[in-house]
């Protein structure tokens, strides 16, 4: 206790106290550890005269934290005791206590059970004794038959009780007259069962508490019982997450929670999914806030191993989210990881292997069909025909999809050891995930470590720590979308339209021959069109790519119970996030060697390297107070929070290494890009929440957070986000209390305001000057004078000192009702979210000197109804549960800015560049967000079939000439066989003004259906996910119907194309290399119904009989097989209707981390099929073992 | 129990600590940018601020204004050069308001104007604070006025009237267009101010604005305002340190500095060893490989009009310094067609396109029998090439050396003389006009080099027609022909006379970019669109 000297007695005064304050938290922690060491000793010192056993027991309990269980009347008969001991063992103390008593004791775990002495000492006259108690023994298991270790079994109304042993068994003495056993276990529903002399061996099954009103829900800075919730919170438990093998936790959310729309829009290994909670809440950032074990993270979702997750709680309305203030408007996802249990040890081993089938492919032409088409069109389109094409049978036919697609393999192994004692609980886990994707050159590996440690040295002190580390490594060489910019990199989109034969390489016409030669297309001086097509297999196999991430998340907290119900907690967390990698493309001179023309191939190698890292800390202090006064209960939490993030990036890119084996940045001959800088931003907040409960039936919650963000000018940094909600537990009212039909009914209503400060970068409020980069950079602001470069300084962006956070006003009205004794529960919520002041870089008049500026603009309203129904039925051998949830979503843009209200005012469409749309293509605009319409609506022309005759075109042109004079046309460039578009505005010409809405990309309704069942040792899960009411703009199909540049086309188009000899069709145009009519422009031809219903998962498990396993010390062994994405019911003609917001890329950088090529997902670019990384079927074999 | 109390006390302190210590906590930093209040404490800051104004000309982002805005407009629309890339429709004026030629010029130049407007008060304040001495402050102020005037000069030349922003825009910027005359009046004012402040070219770094440049553009602006007499007067004030180069071919030779004839040039610089491929810095342009024959670079998006080739008079040395055709050697002493790698490789492979008439490796831009007409059979090229942009021997192919850094002359004495002749003619001095034209023609026929050369009289007799022909032949393939022709008021008729093409009504003015119209609804589109 020498450290006590550090703590100055209170009388020393405030000055010294403040001095102490300067000691860092490290010292505090050190002190605590010392204190703990003392408290942990199991020796007891006591000095009492004539003390009651109860008093001594209290003191023993305080010193050792052992509990005593006894019947109080038993102790009243006990003799008083004199005891004077110093540092003696518990046993010695108990020996003194029980000497000459009519009592004895036993110790089970950390509980000392006091019971009457079986054989009373002889010298004592036997009083008329009560009938001897009866022994009841039994076993406690969970629903899946797993023994529950350390469950509490008590006789109701007494102190008599025990806990179950390692096999879930217990033996308990019950008074002869019988009694009621109360069995409880954390996380499970408490059950009561009457027992009597006649009761033989019992098996009691505890149900997990999650679907019950007793369920505990994690809300911001605390927990609440679901029955006391006034806000809208969806919860997903570990058992649900385990049902579907997923790689990342966000995938686990899909279809499980009403109001949450999860789209697996990019199935590349390690790719993230797109999550929207209650619609599009912003034209800028729509990412929800993730809080992991109390830490609001800014990235690194990948650090969390899905199998470590205990619960995911999704806070949806303002009542629930307002405590997270200016980061809450897109909802808050709270992730709680599994912690050690108080008694016993559990070792769990989970393993799975998934085989992924080769993706479906588009049916495109083979070399012979394609060349026949080229030769057919050559005289009309002036196509240069290569001599070898005149001998089609000699051509080697390539199906690029088949060359690149393959079967995939996914493996996942997790080992966890969780357990502990009354004072210390720990949960350790290690996980390994490895996936080889179904597209050549794509893989992802992840290694997770996690340790959760809880320590209760004293009744009044509890420490909790969580440490998580993850290392990820992966690449996706051929990813979603098409060729990016001028680069030679290919995307999935390109695979279907690369010409099906290659004769550029004189050594081989194969994709790759046995000698390591790769084929290529002829260079520019041999063929004008083919030269810009590359061999994606060559790139995937010869490029050297590495992308790695290191994520560390550590939090540690101390919670002090100052008085009963009054707690203080300090929580400190650190999060680091490192991303690094490189891309080396070796030089390629084959085409240059053979033709003197490098074509698209690179004569020089290229090399880029980057390393980005962020360090973030969080410090939060909260005080909570819970108290019940008669019929009133209050529950208060309040606190302060500070968070600071420092992000550093470095990157270099260049051409020309001396040698292809030399991978050294220093030896790059032409450095073209060089970045390296650091940014810091911070948050500071104060918050409070109070729950008031009257008579257990009237509930009121008030929440407020004052949140400060450094992103805004000092006078705009702080926002206040209040919310209030009420709930009425109608079931508790006398008129409903006895109505058997309704097991529970609660009505809720909430309103509040929350904010969003994502969407823009730092310093948008301030005038900042920049040099634009070094001389070598494309963006430098300097200029050469006298043959010498001189740097320049320019305003980096138009400052907007008035910038502030986005605000969402949320209303939620809902009810929870339960029927059939709680077996059927229904939750319905109506929600309305009006969001405004989106932080966007929007176009501004160029006269300001800038084309865009960060502004607060616009408002959107999202309304809808969430519906969740859950039914559970348990029979002797057969239990099942059905969960159905769906959400409707109506979304409307209410306003833009004061002066940009017209249709063409603010075109929030993406320009499509990042999706791989060709430059100057009409696909650069395919969506339009306009007032009164859903966000991101598709925008294009309406088609009216095909022009069958020249006469038809001439008549329209004549009408146009009458209006506009000689040379005017109805539809410029049209010839028979071209698509005719409708003159919407009736001006006699087809122009950009004839474009109309082609439907919304956002589903009107989405939801999931889960069926779980167990029959004897078998368990089943079926999980469907579906969306309806949205449209998909099928760019992939438009590209399959384009022969421009001699690209390959679909066989369907080939067989049904319009020709002068085969007229009449109204769907397919003529095939042409020179499409002056722009037949494939965005039009309703490519806007398709995007509704689908997908069998996401089907699983069958079998748990081996326990008696078989016990000899191997295995408590449970379950094997299962499952299949994911077995079928999809959809009318969509593309390969996969699950399309959200594709990731976009800028320039030539498809690879690399955010900020070095990736563009933010824009809500104006959702629902367009640009050739997604395919999501094919998984067949999974798995094993769960518990020791 | 004392431990417990101490811990509670510490706990209480911890609760209070963050709010107390967080007074200045909400500050952010970004090491790649610097806030305005930390800058402009030393003269270099002001110099860098003005340096960045010149960067306006550099291609940035998707805008390559030297190529699209200046070269396209002045060459494709005058029909003497023809695009064979994605912009073939320029030959029939079928471009639209979305083309980056217009958006790039508009966005880049308003960016420059806004930066200039912001720089003027900063320079004045630094002068007041004695951070800048008077001469440096004058120079920088003069450069800023010159560049602002220059940006407006080209905006109005291209679009007609544009919104005139002469101070930092602090409102929403929804200002309507001024008239073309108002804009040129502003240019006149800025150039007058600049001419009074700027040093002469000997007293400043090559590439910077000079007194001579300010006077050159002042005169040009005055001609737009039809103040012809004033313009003549202004041109006469241009310092006599500018000289016509004796050999016309030398004007566009690749060099490091401006020539004696150059009045204002846009400068580029590729440092030795830096890439000439994609990934280059923005101090490079690709006018050269864009215009060179596909047979040499594998690229090539334009060729020149045989009509232009035929229009030169006999003996005019400007002809082969401007355009070469089948059978012509490259006129520059630095360029030998036979030295290009693709030519050598093609010849070695027996490709007939690379075999000269003598059976040896070709050293001409194709042959009459086998002109260089590209490999896209759907639209063959003319076989003629602009050689004013084809002078840099380091630009050799369409892959790793396709960008060059040859300076682009924007205004040179040759053009000023033709303009002066027009101004003289229009202010009634026909004799002066004829004499001025004679200076231009003398050089064109080589008389400055060899006084014995006999320069023939012009083909035309009408003085205005002579002037129009001189504009065409003196500055063809450069960056001001369309603007000067439109300034004469004879543009539409002239194009009809020379090319038999009727410019669609209203299309002598370029369209206000669609993006500008959509962000500023108060702008009214030009009537031809």
């Amino acid at each position: 206790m020498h450290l006590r000297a550090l703590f100055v007695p209170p009388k020393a005064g405030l000055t010294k106290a403040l001095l102490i304050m300067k000691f860092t938290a490290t010292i505090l922690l050190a002190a605590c550890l010392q204190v703990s060491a003392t408290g942990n000793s199991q020796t007891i010192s006591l000095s009492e005269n004539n003390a009651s056993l109860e008093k001594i027991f209290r003191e023993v309990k305080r010193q050792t934290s052992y509990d005593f269980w006894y019947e109080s009347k038993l102790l009243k008969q006990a003799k008083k005791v004199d005891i004077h001991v110093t540092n003696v063992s518990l046993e010695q103390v108990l020996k003194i206590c029980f000497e000459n008593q009519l009592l004895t004791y036993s110790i089970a775990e950390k509980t000392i059970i006091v019971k009457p002495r079986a054989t009373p000492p002889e010298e004592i006259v036997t009083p008329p004794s009560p009938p001897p108690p009866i022994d009841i023994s039994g076993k406690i298991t969970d629903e899946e038959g797993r023994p529950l270790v350390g469950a509490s079994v008590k006789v109701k109304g007494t102190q008599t009780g025990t806990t179950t042993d390692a096999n879930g068994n217990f033996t308990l003495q019950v008074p002869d007259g019988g009694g009621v056993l109360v069995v409880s276990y954390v996380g499970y529903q408490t059950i009561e069962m009457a027992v009597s002399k006649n009761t033989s061996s019992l098996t009691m099954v505890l149900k997990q508490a999650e679907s019950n009103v007793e369920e505990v829900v994690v809300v911001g800075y605390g927990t609440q019982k679901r029955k006391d919730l006034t806000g809208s919170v969806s919860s997903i438990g570990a058992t649900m997450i385990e049902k579907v093998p997923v790689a990342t936790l966000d995938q686990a959310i899909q279809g499980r929670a009403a109001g949450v729309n999860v789209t697996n829009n990019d199935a590349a290994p390690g790719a993230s999914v797109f999550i929207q909670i209650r619609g599009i809440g912003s034209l800028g950032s729509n990412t929800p806030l993730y809080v992991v074990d109390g830490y609001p993270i800014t990235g690194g979702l990948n650090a969390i191993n899905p199998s470590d997750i205990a619960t995911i709680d999704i806070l949806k309305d303002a009542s629930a989210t307002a405590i997270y203030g200016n980061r809450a408007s897109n909802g808050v996802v709270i992730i709680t990881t599994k912690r050690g249990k108080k008694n016993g040890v559990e070792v769990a081993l989970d393993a799975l292997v998934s085989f992924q089938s080769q993706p479906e492919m588009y049916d495109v032409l083979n070399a012979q069909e394609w060349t026949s088409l080229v030769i057919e069109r050559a005289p009309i389109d002036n196509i240069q025909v290569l001599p070898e094409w005149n001998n089609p049978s000699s051509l080697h036919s390539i199906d690029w999809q088949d060359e690149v697609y393959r079967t995939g393999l996914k493996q996942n192994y997790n080992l966890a050891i969780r357990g502990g004692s009354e004072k210390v609980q720990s949960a350790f886990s290690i996980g390994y995930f490895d996936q080889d994707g179904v597209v050549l050159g794509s893989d992802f590996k992840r290694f997770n470590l996690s340790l959760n440690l809880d320590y209760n040295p004293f009744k009044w002190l509890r420490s909790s720590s969580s440490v998580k580390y993850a290392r990820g490594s992966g690449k996706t060489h051929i990813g979603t979308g098409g060729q990016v910019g001028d680069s030679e990199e290919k995307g999935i989109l390109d695979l279907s339209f690369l010409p099906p034969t290659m004769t550029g390489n004189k050594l081989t016409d194969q994709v790759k021959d046995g000698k390591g030669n790769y084929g290529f297309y002829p260079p520019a001086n041999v063929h004008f069109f083919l030269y810009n097509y590359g061999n994606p297999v060559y790139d995937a196999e010869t490029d050297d790519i590495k992308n790695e991430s290191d994520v560390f998340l550590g939090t540690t907290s101390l919670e002090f119970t100052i008085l009963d119900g009054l707690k203080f907690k300090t929580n400190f967390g650190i999060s680091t996030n490192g991303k690094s990698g490189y891309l080396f493309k070796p030089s390629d001179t084959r085409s240059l060697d053979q033709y003197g023309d490098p074509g698209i191939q690179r004569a020089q190698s290229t090399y880029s390297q980057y390393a980005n890292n962020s360090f973030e800390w969080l410090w939060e202090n909260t005080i909570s107070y819970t108290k019940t006064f008669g019929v009133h209960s209050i529950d208060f939490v309040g606190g302060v929070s500070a968070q600071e993030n420092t992000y550093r990036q470095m990157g270099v890119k260049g051409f020309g290494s001396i040698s292809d084996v030399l991978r050294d940045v220093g030896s790059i001959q032409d450095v073209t890009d060089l970045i390296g800088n650091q940014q810091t931003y911070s948050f500071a907040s104060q918050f409070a929440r109070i729950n008031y409960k009257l008579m257990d039936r009237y509930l009121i919650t008030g929440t407020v957070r004052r949140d400060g963000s450094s992103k805004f000018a000092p006078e705009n940094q702080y926002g206040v986000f209040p919310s209030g909600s009420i709930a009425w537990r109608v079931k508790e009212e006398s008129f409903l209390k006895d109505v058997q039909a309704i097991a529970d009914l609660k009505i809720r209503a909430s309103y509040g305001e929350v904010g969003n400060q994502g969407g823009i970068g730092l310093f948008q409020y301030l005038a900042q000057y920049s040099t634009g980069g070094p001389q070598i950079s494309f963006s430098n602001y300097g200029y050469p004078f006298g043959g010498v470069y001189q740097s320049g300084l320019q305003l980096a962006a138009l400052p907007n000192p008035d910038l502030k956070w986005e605000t969402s006003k949320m209303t939620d009205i809902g009810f929870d009702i339960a029927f059939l004794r709680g077996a059927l529960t229904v939750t319905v919520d109506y929600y309305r979210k009006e969001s405004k002041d989106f932080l966007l870089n929007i176009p501004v008049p160029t006269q300001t000197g800038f084309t865009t500026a960060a502004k607060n603009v616009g408002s959107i309203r999202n309304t809808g109804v969430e519906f969740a129904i859950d039914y559970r039925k348990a029979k002797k051998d057969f239990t099942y549960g059905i969960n159905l949830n769906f959400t409707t979503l109506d979304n409307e843009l209410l306003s833009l800015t004061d002066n940009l209200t017209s249709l063409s005012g603010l075109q929030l469409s993406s320009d499509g560049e990042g999706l791989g749309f060709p430059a100057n293509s009409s696909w650069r605009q395919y969506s339009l967000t306009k007032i009164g319409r859903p966000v991101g609506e598709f925008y294009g022309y309406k088609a009216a079939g095909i022009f069958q005759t020249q006469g038809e075109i001439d008549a329209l042109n004549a009408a146009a000439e009458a209006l506009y004079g000689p040379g005017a046309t109805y539809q410029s460039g049209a010839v028979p066989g071209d698509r005719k578009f409708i003159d919407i505005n009736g001006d006699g010409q087809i122009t950009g003004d004839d474009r109309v809405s082609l439907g919304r990309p956002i589903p009107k309704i989405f939801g999931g259906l889960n069926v779980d069942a167990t029959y004897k040792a078998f368990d089943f899960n079926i999980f469907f996910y579906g969306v309806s009411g949205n449209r998909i703009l099928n760019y992939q199909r438009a590209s399959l119907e384009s022969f421009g540049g001699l690209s390959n086309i679909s066989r369907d188009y080939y067989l049904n194309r319009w020709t002068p000899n085969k007229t009449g069709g109204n769907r397919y145009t003529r095939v042409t290399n020179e499409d002056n009519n722009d037949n494939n422009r965005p039009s309703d031809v490519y806007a398709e119904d995007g509704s689908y219903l997908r069998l996401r998962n089907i699983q069958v498990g079998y748990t081996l009989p326990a008696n078989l396993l016990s000899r191997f010390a295995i408590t449970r062994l379950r094997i299962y097989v499952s299949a994911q994405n077995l079928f999809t019911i959809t009318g969509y003609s593309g390969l996969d209707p699950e399309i959200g917001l594709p990731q976009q890329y800028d320039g030539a950088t498809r690879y690399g981390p955010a900020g070095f090529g990736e563009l933010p997902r824009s809500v104006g670019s959702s629902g367009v099929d640009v050739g997604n990384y395919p999501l094919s079927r998984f067949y999974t074999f798995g094993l769960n073992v518990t020791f | 129990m004392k431990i417990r109390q101490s811990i509670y006390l510490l706990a209480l302190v911890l609760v209070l600590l963050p709010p107390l210590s967080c007074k200045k906590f909400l500050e952010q930093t970004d090491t790649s940018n610097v806030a305005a209040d930390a800058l402009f404490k030393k003269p270099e800051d002001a110099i860098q601020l003005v340096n960045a104004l010149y960067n306006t000309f550099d291609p940035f982002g998707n805008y390559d204004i030297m190529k699209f805005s200046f070269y396209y407009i002045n060459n494709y629309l005058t029909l003497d050069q023809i695009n064979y890339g994605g912009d073939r429709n320029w030959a029939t004026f079928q471009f639209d308001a979305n083309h980056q030629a217009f958006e790039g010029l508009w966005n880049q130049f308003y960016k420059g104007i806004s930066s200039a407007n912001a720089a003027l008060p900063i320079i004045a304040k630094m002068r007041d604070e004695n951070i800048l001495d008077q001469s440096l402050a004058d120079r920088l102020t003069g450069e800023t006025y010159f560049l602002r005037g220059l940006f407006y000069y080209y905006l109005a030349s291209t679009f007609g009237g544009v919104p005139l922003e002469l101070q930092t825009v602090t409102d929403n910027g929804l200002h309507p267009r001024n008239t073309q005359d108002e804009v040129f009046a502003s240019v006149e004012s800025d150039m007058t101010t600049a001419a009074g402040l700027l040093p002469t070219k000997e007293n400043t770094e090559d590439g910077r604005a000079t007194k001579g440049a300010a006077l050159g553009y002042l005169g040009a602006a005055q001609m737009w305002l039809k103040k012809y007499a004033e313009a003549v007067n202004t041109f006469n004030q241009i310092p006599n340190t500018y000289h016509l180069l004796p050999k016309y071919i030398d004007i566009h030779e690749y060099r490091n500095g401006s020539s004696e004839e150059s009045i204002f040039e846009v400068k580029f610089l590729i440092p030795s060893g830096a890439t000439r491929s994609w990934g280059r810095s923005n101090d490079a342009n690709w006018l050269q490989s864009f215009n060179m024959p596909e047979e040499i670079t594998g690229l090539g998006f334009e060729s020149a009009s045989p009509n232009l080739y035929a229009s030169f008079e006999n003996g005019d040395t400007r002809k082969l310094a401007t355009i070469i055709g089948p059978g012509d050697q490259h006129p520059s002493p630095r360029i030998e067609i036979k030295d290009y790698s693709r030519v050598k490789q093609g010849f070695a492979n027996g490709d007939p396109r690379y075999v000269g008439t003598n059976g040896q490796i070709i050293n001409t831009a194709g042959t009459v029998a086998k002109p260089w007409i590209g490999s896209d059979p759907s639209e063959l090229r003319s076989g003629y090439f602009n050689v004013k942009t084809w002078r840099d021997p380091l630009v050799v192919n369409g892959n790793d050396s396709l960008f060059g850094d040859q300076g682009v002359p924007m205004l040179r004495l040759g053009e000023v003389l033709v303009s002066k002749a027009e101004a003289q003619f229009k202010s009634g001095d026909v004799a002066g006009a004829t004499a001025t034209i004679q200076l231009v023609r003398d050089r064109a026929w080589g008389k400055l080099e060899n006084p014995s050369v006999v320069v023939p009289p012009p083909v035309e007799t009408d003085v205005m027609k002579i002037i129009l022909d001189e504009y065409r032949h003196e500055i063809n393939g450069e960056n001001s022909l369309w603007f000067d022709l439109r300034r004469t008021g004879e543009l539409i008729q002239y194009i009809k006379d020379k090319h038999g093409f009727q410019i669609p009504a209203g299309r002598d003015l370029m369209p206000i970019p669609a993006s500008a119209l959509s962000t500023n609804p108060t702008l009214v589109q030009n009537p031809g669109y």
Side-chain angles (χ1 to χ4, degrees), chain A residues 874-885:
Chain A
K875 287 183 176 172
K876 188 166 172 288
D877 286 331
F878 182 55
T879 63
Y880 66 94
I882 300 170
N883 174 287
L884 170 71
N885 70 74

Side-chain angles (χ1 to χ4, degrees), chain B residues 176-384:
Chain B
R177 295 171 67 178
N178 290 72
T179 65
Q180 179 175 305
D181 279 357
E182 284 168 344
V183 179
F184 280 117
S186 172
V187 176
E188 186 183 24
S189 162
D190 281 352
M191 290 299 177
T192 306
T193 308
L197 294 168
L198 284 171
T200 54
K201 69 170 181 177
E202 303 78 23
N203 295 312
T204 194
E205 289 162 301
D206 181 35
R208 290 195 182 275
T210 61
K211 184 184 183 71
L215 289 168
Y217 281 101
L218 174 60
Q222 287 166 330
M223 286 182 68
W224 277 101
L225 293 167
K226 301 192 164 37
K227 297 174 166 180
Y228 296 110
E230 288 96 326
V232 174
N233 187 34
T234 302
F235 289 136
N236 286 336
Q237 291 171 42
I238 293 176
N240 59 8
T241 45
Y242 299 95
H243 302 289
L244 288 180
L245 296 179
K247 289 166 77 173
Y248 186 86
I249 183 77
D250 288 344
I251 298 169
H252 296 95
E253 277 303 279
Y254 182 80
R255 65 166 63 77
N256 291 321
S258 303
S259 74
E260 285 197 320
E261 181 169 344
S262 173
I263 294 177
F264 186 70
E265 250 179 65
V266 172
K267 294 291 187 183
F268 295 91
L269 177 69
I270 299 174
S272 141
T275 184
R276 292 173 165 264
S277 181
W278 304 108
R280 74 210 188 274
S281 85
N282 62 7
D283 299 302
N285 71 70
W286 76 316
L287 282 168
Q288 178 158 336
S289 58
F290 193 86
N291 293 349
M292 278 170 70
E294 184 197 312
E295 285 78 2
I296 291 177
T297 61
L299 284 176
F301 300 100
E302 83 150 35
S303 59
S305 159
N307 197 354
L308 170 67
Y309 190 82
S311 74
F312 283 95
E313 296 163 53
N314 284 336
D316 189 340
T317 63
R318 294 177 298 193
K319 177 176 183 172
L320 290 179
T322 302
I323 179 172
I324 60 172
D328 290 334
Q329 287 195 19
H330 197 285
S332 167
R334 290 167 182 258
I335 308 274
E336 292 290 339
I337 288 173
K338 64 178 163 57
D339 290 343
Y340 285 104
S341 65
R342 202 174 301 243
V343 174
K344 289 195 267 192
Q345 184 82 33
F347 179 73
N349 289 352
D351 188 328
R353 294 177 297 173
Y354 300 106
V355 181
T357 44
N358 56 1
Q360 295 302 303
I361 186 167
I362 197 166
N363 197 30
T364 56
T367 60
V368 178
K370 279 208 164 290
W372 279 359
I373 51 178
S375 66
D376 177 4
S378 67
E379 198 148 5
L380 297 173
R381 295 157 207 216
S382 68
Y384 293 83

